[in-house]
């Protein structure tokens, strides 16, 4: 009985923790972007502007939630929830610390890949349901982007799976006790991180959004909390990809014992979140055909090669 | 590829540079003396209004935000009966200052003119008229002009020769 309660507690903590982190990233991102652009960013509301998050949340909750008359109503309402649901579901398989994992699935990575692929529906459906040409182009680009990154994303993780001999995330972390996967799987790490950038639709790969070209792309017609869902979904995606990078390539909770495992996990995760923001601050957006050709012509062969070499070495050592 | 990584690194280094932001309400940016801000009407060294209501400023104003009506005092000195600038339309281009023949209308370095009601942005002559001479000191239009309006007598102005006696034969 008490085990069930602990499990429920873990679920609630992960859910609330992740949503809180995602909301807090609104502040972190604005502040860090400002730091890298030699500005101050939001520093007025509360100490160091921390309560800016609260102000933003209050604002977005009280904004008019307008559904334009020309949209496909049902799909329009469902679309923003998909990204939240799929991303939050993906957190179920992330091991935050020994024992702190919602679902210790033996197909953990496959579940993550499946959920992140489903996340692409939010863009396609939102772009389609908005009945607006900019949104449709955004949705189209989202689909094009998805078919280019999804393939090498999965393949880049297979090297890790070969090394661990398991799809289970906890096993993958335990396998990295001697050496973090980033050393033998450096190419896999780079490819996965690029795919993760594309998956979260962050700059430089915010091609479906592209505010300088498509107004706001797939969420041009959204307002109020529906827009907020896309927003929080994007930050959840950042958190998820950072957490996955930590778990798969940087040893998850492993670290010197003077700090508890969960702290090591969070430190590593936030380091990657900051890398996301840094990349946003520095890199321009490629054309979407450039991303596609890059994905199919360079990253996919590279991922395959990485898989081949890793497999060969593992077989040779047996 | 390498240039992208270099870009990321260079952007990261910006973290350690000085912030360019001036945190406005506490610290204020330097405004140059000729900064084009709030418009004022100035007075001449004798403390009279410089404006002669020639309408040149209103004519040159690209947004038509200046409106005035000329009148004359008992000496025949021209002055505006009312002078009104609608600052909700003013674009602070400074053409009125350029057009003004008497240095009356001037733009001063001040921009903090926010109001809650739009009507409050319409400045009347009392709001515009300042006590001093503004940016151009010592100039008094009626001291160099030919007409006598009580400021000086005929032929007594600066660089002005005495009037010709039309009834004398000798030139």
């Amino acid at each position: 009985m008490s085990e069930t309660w602990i499990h429920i507690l873990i679920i609630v903590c992960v859910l609330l923790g992740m949503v809180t982190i995602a909301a807090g990233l609104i502040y972190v991102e604005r502040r860090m972007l400002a730091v890298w652009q030699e500005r101050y960013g939001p520093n007025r509301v509360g100490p160091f502007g921390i309560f800016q998050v609260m102000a933003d949340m209050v604002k977005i909750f009280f904004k008019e939630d307008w559904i334009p008359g020309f949209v496909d109503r049902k799909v329009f309402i469902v679309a923003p929830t998909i990204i939240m649901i799929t991303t939050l579901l993906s957190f179920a398989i992330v091991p935050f610390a020994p024992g702190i994992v919602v679902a210790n699935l033996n197909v953990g990575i496959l579940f993550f890949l499946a959920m992140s692929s489903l996340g692409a529906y939010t863009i396609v459906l939102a772009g389609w349901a908005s009945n607006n040409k900019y949104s449709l182009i955004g949705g189209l680009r989202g689909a094009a982007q998805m078919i280019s990154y999804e393939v090498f994303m999965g393949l880049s993780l297979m090297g890790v799976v070969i090394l661990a001999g398991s799809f289970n995330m906890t096993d993958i972390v335990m396998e990295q006790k001697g050496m973090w996967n980033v050393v033998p799987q450096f190419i896999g790490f780079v490819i996965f991180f690029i795919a993760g950038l594309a998956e979260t639709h962050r700059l430089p790969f915010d091609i479906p959004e592209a505010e300088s070209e498509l107004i706001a792309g797939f969420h041009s017609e959204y307002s109020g909390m529906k827009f907020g869902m896309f927003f929080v979904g994007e930050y959840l995606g950042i958190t998820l990809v950072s957490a996955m990078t930590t778990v798969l390539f940087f040893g998850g909770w492993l670290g010197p014992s003077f700090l508890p495992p969960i702290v090591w996990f969070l430190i590593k995760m936030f380091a990657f979140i900051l890398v996301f923001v840094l990349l946003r601050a520095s890199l321009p957006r490629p054309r979407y055909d450039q991303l596609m050709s890059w994905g199919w012509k360079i990253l996919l062969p590279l991922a395959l090669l990485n898989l081949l070499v890793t497999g060969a070495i593992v077989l040779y050592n047996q | 590829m390498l240039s992208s990584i270099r870009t990321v690194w260079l952007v990261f280094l910006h973290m350690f540079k000085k912030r360019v932001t001036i945190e406005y309400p506490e610290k204020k940016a330097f405004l140059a003396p000729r900064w084009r801000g709030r418009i004022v009407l100035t007075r001449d060294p004798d403390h009279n209004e410089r404006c002669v209501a020639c309408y040149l400023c209103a004519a040159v104003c690209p947004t038509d935000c200046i409106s005035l009506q000329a009148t004359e005092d008992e000496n025949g000195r021209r002055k505006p009966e009312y002078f009104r600038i609608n600052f909700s339309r003013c674009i602070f281009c400074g053409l009125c200052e350029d057009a003004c023949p008497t240095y009356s209308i001037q733009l001063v370095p001040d921009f903090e003119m926010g109001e809650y009601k739009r009507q409050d942005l319409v400045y009347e002559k009392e709001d515009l008229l300042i006590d001093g001479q503004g940016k151009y000191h010592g100039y008094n239009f009626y001291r160099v002009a030919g007409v006598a309006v009580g400021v000086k007598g005929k032929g007594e102005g600066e660089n002005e020769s005495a009037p010709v006696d039309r009834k004398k034969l000798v030139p």
Side-chain angles (χ1 to χ4, degrees), chain A residues 41-157:
Chain A
N43 62 353
R44 295 282 150 174
V45 196
F48 301 104
I50 287 172
F51 298 141
Q52 186 70 40
V53 177
M54 253 74 96
D56 282 352
M57 292 306 277
V58 168
K59 184 193 82 172
I60 214 155
F61 270 111
F62 283 91
K63 275 198 164 181
E64 185 185 5
D65 199 352
W66 163 247
I67 300 174
F70 49 80
V71 300
D72 188 342
R73 220 180 141 84
K74 283 177 197 150
V75 186
F76 188 83
I77 293 169
V78 168
T81 59
I82 295 175
I83 191 160
M84 284 278 279
I85 292 169
T86 56
T87 320
L88 283 173
L89 273 177
S90 303
F91 277 110
I93 51 103
V94 176
F96 294 93
I100 304 185
V101 54
V102 175
N104 201 7
L105 292 181
N106 57 0
V107 288
I109 289 187
L110 293 182
F111 184 78
F112 159 72
L113 289 173
M115 282 301 142
S116 67
S117 310
L118 280 178
Y121 274 107
T122 193
I123 288 178
V124 177
L125 291 181
W128 176 256
S130 291
N131 225 347
N132 164 330
K133 51 183 175 287
Y134 293 111
S135 301
L136 185 60
I137 294 172
L140 205 68
R141 289 182 178 192
Q145 186 169 335
M146 195 270 280
I147 58 168
S148 46
Y149 70 73
E150 207 57 71
V151 182
F152 63 79
M153 182 176 205
L155 284 171
S156 68
L157 294 181

Side-chain angles (χ1 to χ4, degrees), chain A residues 156 159-160 163 172-173 175-193 244-252 254 268 272 306 310:
Chain A
S156 68
V160 175
L163 286 178
I172 290 172
V173 175
E175 184 268 332
Q176 299 178 65
K177 265 198 168 141
M179 182 169 47
W180 288 357
N181 269 338
V182 68
V183 183
Q185 284 295 314
F186 186 72
I187 297 171
F189 159 65
V190 172
I191 295 172
F192 175 73
F193 201 74
M244 287 303 285
T245 316
T246 308
V247 169
L248 294 169
F249 296 98
F250 285 82
L254 299 174
K268 291 174 192 173
F272 283 107
N306 181 41
T310 313

Side-chain angles (χ1 to χ4, degrees), chain A residues 249-314:
Chain A
F249 296 98
F250 285 82
W253 68 75
L254 299 174
S257 60
F258 58 85
L259 284 177
I262 184 82
V263 176
W264 278 113
F265 183 88
L266 289 176
I267 287 174
K268 291 174 192 173
M269 192 177 84
F270 273 103
F272 283 107
I273 288 172
L274 292 183
V275 172
F276 267 93
V277 180
L278 177 61
L279 288 175
R280 174 176 176 177
S282 46
L283 292 179
R285 178 191 310 124
R287 287 201 316 266
Y288 82 103
D289 64 300
Q290 285 173 331
L291 172 65
M292 285 184 83
S293 64
W294 218 56
W296 284 103
K297 288 179 189 162
I298 298 175
L299 292 177
L300 177 64
L302 210 59
L304 282 170
L305 202 67
N306 181 41
L307 179 61
L308 197 70
V309 172
T310 313
I313 291 173
V314 167

